Amino acid sequence: MGRALGILGCCLALALLPLPAAPRGPALRPRRQLRPGGRSADTACKNRPLDLVFIVDSSRSVRPEEFEKVKIFLSEMIDTLDVGERTTRVAVMNYASTVKVEFPLRTYFDKASLKEAVSRIEPLSAGTMTGLAIQTAMEEVFTEEMGTRPATFNIPKVVIVVTDGRPQDQVQDVAASARTAGIEIYAVGVDRADMQSLRMMASEPLDEHVFYVETYGVIEKLTSRFRETFCAVNVCALGTHGCQQVCVSNGASHLCDCYEGYTLNPDKTTCSAMDMCAPGRHDCAQVCLSNDGSYSCGCYEGYTLNPDKKTCSAADVCALGRHDCEQVCVRGEQLYSCDCHQGYSLNPDRRTCSRAITSSLVTTEESCKCEAIAALQDSVTSGLEALSRKLEEVSEKLQAYQDRQQIV
């Protein structure tokens, strides 16, 4: 839930959500009797003290008659507040391509003076520098010199941005800095307002801080209903419910609930992050990485996460930057090995290569050894052949001698 404007958030949710088109007929009538001028007979509505800053868009896209309706909206919003020096203080900023602080929090402490000051506001006409407006609120309005109560008072700092366009500057980072500084931001979009930009600037939960209406006329018509809701008894809106995250109103009582990814503890008020990587809770193909009530997917070594952020594909392990081979990467199914270009040999580290050493001296020496062995083999072969011939001659002579002896 929002830190502040518990009642205000509830009221805005009911008052400013877009309504379906209805057939023409009698205007909505408030439950309470209105005095002349539109003020309720019962405007004594006690709300939690706030340091509240309205930031209104008066760029060229806001026609003069529409800006008048914005001022009516601001005045009727002021009627619902418990305005005072010790209760709710109100400031108004006006922006287009430039930013103007119409009046800071220290200036007016009664409704009549506030509404009179609002009636004198004039549009600035050009540009939509929403980020600049929020930055100015942080630097020039939410200061003790300009009327913001000290942090020790624990008074919520709240911004309500009303715009009908798309910011022309970087609103996301500025809004994040404001939220980090403890400023709660409500974004009210009208007509052509960019919903993505509204969501980027608003505080969490977004469904309680982002609102959209189709025309400025709708804002004016719904202020009476807003006033009724603002003063209604709502345990969750009073800020005394004790729920850590979500309060669900149930008439005069309430129940506590948790944001997505969290589960309610046995004490029925606090919440704990669920193990989103438990079986059945995630849709990761390989690795689930739990992260405080949410999760992200990862992959095993050798795989890369696909664009769907869920499934994995085998990585090209030999792609540039994925291996540490000096010369040649040889891809396997999931692993790789290193090799070298021709004329180089792989070093013992199996990654780097050195030029192969085959000098001419070694080559000649090896060649000489081979020639000597071949010459020796030829010499032995020739000697054996000569010896064989001599043995044949001796054998022939011996046979002739034996033959002569037999004749004698």
Side-chain angles (χ1 to χ4, degrees), residues 65-90:
E65 63 272 19
E66 293 176 329
F67 193 70
E68 289 302 312
K69 293 184 184 298
V70 174
K71 294 197 292 185
I72 294 173
F73 169 67
L74 295 182
S75 294
E76 297 199 357
M77 285 283 291
I78 290 169
D79 272 336
T80 66
L81 300 171
D82 184 17
V83 174
E85 184 176 4
R86 296 180 179 273
T87 51
T88 293
R89 299 183 181 184
V90 177

Side-chain angles (χ1 to χ4, degrees), residues 10-63:
C10 180
C11 297
L12 279 171
L14 293 177
L16 300 181
L17 284 173
L19 298 178
R24 294 189 177 185
L28 292 172
R29 291 182 296 176
R31 298 175 187 171
R32 292 176 294 191
Q33 184 65 39
L34 295 180
R35 294 175 179 171
R39 293 195 59 181
S40 169
D42 178 18
T43 58
C45 179
K46 299 294 183 182
N47 64 279
R48 185 180 180 187
L50 306 169
D51 284 340
L52 174 61
V53 178
F54 290 98
I55 301 178
V56 294
D57 177 1
S58 65
S59 57
R60 186 180 296 109
S61 61
V62 184
R63 294 185 290 271

Side-chain angles (χ1 to χ4, degrees), residues 84-278:
E85 184 176 4
R86 296 180 179 273
T87 51
T88 293
R89 299 183 181 184
V90 177
V92 174
M93 297 174 59
N94 185 12
Y95 80 97
S97 57
T98 59
V99 179
K100 180 180 180 182
V101 179
E102 296 291 347
F103 51 85
L105 295 165
R106 70 181 183 184
T107 307
Y108 304 111
F109 300 124
D110 65 275
K111 295 183 181 182
S113 299
L114 282 171
K115 293 168 69 175
E116 173 63 25
V118 167
S119 69
R120 297 193 298 267
I121 298 175
E122 296 294 333
L124 301 175
S125 294
T128 311
M129 305 297 284
T130 311
L132 177 62
I134 296 174
Q135 185 71 38
T136 304
M138 284 193 292
E139 296 176 351
E140 300 182 16
V141 179
F142 283 113
T143 66
E144 293 186 29
E145 293 77 11
M146 291 293 103
T148 300
R149 265 83 53 103
T152 54
F153 284 35
N154 197 29
I155 303 296
K157 296 187 286 288
V158 180
V159 162
I160 299 177
V161 180
V162 182
T163 180
D164 75 339
R166 180 192 298 270
Q168 295 175 345
D169 54 5
Q170 296 298 319
V171 71
Q172 184 174 10
D173 293 341
V174 175
S177 297
R179 295 192 300 267
T180 301
I183 299 172
E184 187 171 10
I185 302 177
Y186 286 80
V188 180
V190 184
D191 193 12
R192 300 167 293 274
D194 178 52
M195 284 301 297
Q196 183 178 358
S197 299
L198 298 177
R199 294 172 66 86
M200 286 193 299
M201 74 176 78
S203 297
E204 294 282 355
L206 295 179
D207 59 356
E208 295 179 16
H209 291 83
V210 177
F211 307 103
Y212 174 81
V213 292
E214 295 177 347
T215 66
Y216 284 101
V218 176
I219 294 180
E220 181 183 351
K221 290 178 181 179
L222 294 178
T223 49
S224 60
R225 184 180 297 177
F226 171 80
R227 183 184 297 112
E228 293 172 13
T229 307
F230 186 76
C231 294
V233 176
N234 185 327
V235 176
C236 290
L238 295 177
T240 59
H241 49 77
C243 298
Q244 182 185 23
Q245 292 188 355
V246 179
C247 177
V248 181
S249 181
N250 185 20
S253 62
H254 72 284
L255 300 172
C256 296
D257 202 355
C258 302
Y259 302 145
E260 184 178 359
Y262 292 81
T263 182
L264 195 64
N265 292 328
D267 63 9
K268 301 301 182 183
T269 59
T270 61
C271 301
S272 297
M274 292 189 294
D275 180 8
M276 299 305 294
C277 286

